[in-house]
Amino acid sequence: MLYTMKPILDKAREDHYAVAAPNVLDYKTIDVAIKTAEKKNAPIILNVTFETNDDLSTFVNYAKDKAIHSKVPVAINLDHGGDYEQIIKSLKMDFTSIMVDRSMLEFEDNIKEVSEIVKIAHTLGCSVEAELGHVGTNIGADSEGMLGSNTIITEEDKKATFTKVEEAVEYVERTKVDCLAVAIGTVHGLYPKGLKPSIDFELLKKLRDAVKVPLVIHGG
């Protein structure tokens, strides 16, 4: 069954469970993800990026066909959507949901850009995820040895980008997003040697109690 993320995550929030959102990298991982969800009788979100496949339109159509014939609810989500052109192309490809990642922008700029896309996406029946705070990466240095601006090195790096509860409430009210990705200590990629994972569950609870839409956790 093909769904947007909104009804899948709204029900998860209401009934107190999480929904897995694996990144599908090829046709085989689409098949495996959906078969596993059916085996567990659980809804699933297929995360797709523009870098996934050279022929992304065909890839998404394959995922849609598998989702339509699935026994469980399946959403197809653009993960970490980039510039405006990429977002519009995704909507034309019939992604059922899109993530608009403007988490590196200042608060007001983030709201402005996301709000604009929410209006378009909702008109087309597509749900929208956005990120406030910033889930950094541990991928590390580039070819010249320079660290990216969002590279996590220390615990202080992480905490500096944590989502603030008051801002999250205002952000959701103003943007009208369907779900919100928050920064609570998870990061993308592998941890550098000596840096142990730590998650602020107390902050997560405060966000869950204050924010009116489902929360999304990125990173591994």
Side-chain angles (χ1 to χ4, degrees):
M1 298 172 281
L2 183 64
Y3 281 74
T4 68
M5 286 203 305
K6 179 173 171 53
I8 291 176
L9 293 182
D10 283 348
K11 182 168 177 53
R13 175 183 167 91
E14 180 181 346
D15 293 344
H16 303 282
Y17 61 85
V19 179
N23 283 91
V24 288
L25 307 175
D26 52 31
Y27 294 96
K28 183 177 287 187
T29 50
I30 292 173
D31 294 342
V32 170
I34 293 178
K35 285 180 181 178
T36 303
E38 289 179 330
K39 184 178 179 180
K40 298 295 184 180
N41 193 31
I44 194 167
I45 298 164
L46 303 181
N47 268 340
V48 180
T49 67
F50 256 67
E51 294 74 30
T52 300
N53 195 283
D54 291 336
D55 187 358
L56 192 58
S57 180
T58 300
F59 188 77
V60 172
N61 282 334
Y62 180 87
K64 282 173 56 182
D65 182 67
K66 290 292 183 178
I68 288 168
H69 294 95
S70 172
K71 300 174 184 177
V72 296
V74 181
I76 303 171
N77 180 53
L78 174 69
D79 189 25
H80 290 286
D83 59 29
Y84 189 81
E85 181 181 356
Q86 188 182 92
I87 298 294
I88 298 303
K89 284 181 179 178
S90 302
L91 292 172
K92 289 180 69 175
M93 277 186 248
D94 291 335
F95 278 81
T96 65
S97 302
I98 56 172
M99 179 192 184
V100 186
D101 188 355
R102 298 294 183 267
S103 59
M104 293 293 284
L105 298 181
E106 294 296 329
F107 184 68
E108 289 296 332
D109 292 332
N110 187 335
I111 288 177
K112 181 180 179 181
E113 292 196 18
V114 170
S115 298
E116 196 175 315
I117 292 170
V118 167
K119 290 179 183 178
I120 299 170
H122 282 178
T123 300
L124 297 173
C126 182
S127 60
V128 180
E129 171 195 348
E131 184 174 320
L132 185 66
H134 183 69
V135 180
T137 177
N138 284 324
I139 295 172
D142 62 19
S143 60
E144 297 179 353
M146 297 298 291
L147 294 172
S149 60
N150 64 341
T151 300
I152 299 297
I153 300 299
T154 67
E155 281 294 302
E156 287 68 30
D157 289 336
K158 283 200 300 185
K159 291 178 181 179
T161 59
F162 277 6
T163 306
K164 297 178 175 62
V165 177
E166 296 80 8
E167 288 186 351
V169 172
E170 180 182 352
Y171 185 88
V172 169
E173 289 177 350
R174 292 175 61 185
T175 60
K176 311 300 182 189
V177 292
D178 300 293
C179 54
L180 182 67
V182 294
I184 58 166
T186 56
V187 295
H188 294 109
L190 301 175
Y191 282 77
K193 185 177 181 179
L195 181 61
K196 296 181 179 180
S198 62
I199 299 172
D200 191 336
F201 287 102
E202 186 60 32
L203 174 58
L204 177 60
K205 184 179 186 302
K206 290 177 181 178
L207 288 163
R208 170 62 173 79
D209 291 341
V211 177
K212 294 180 181 180
V213 299
L215 302 180
V216 179
I217 307 296
H218 281 259

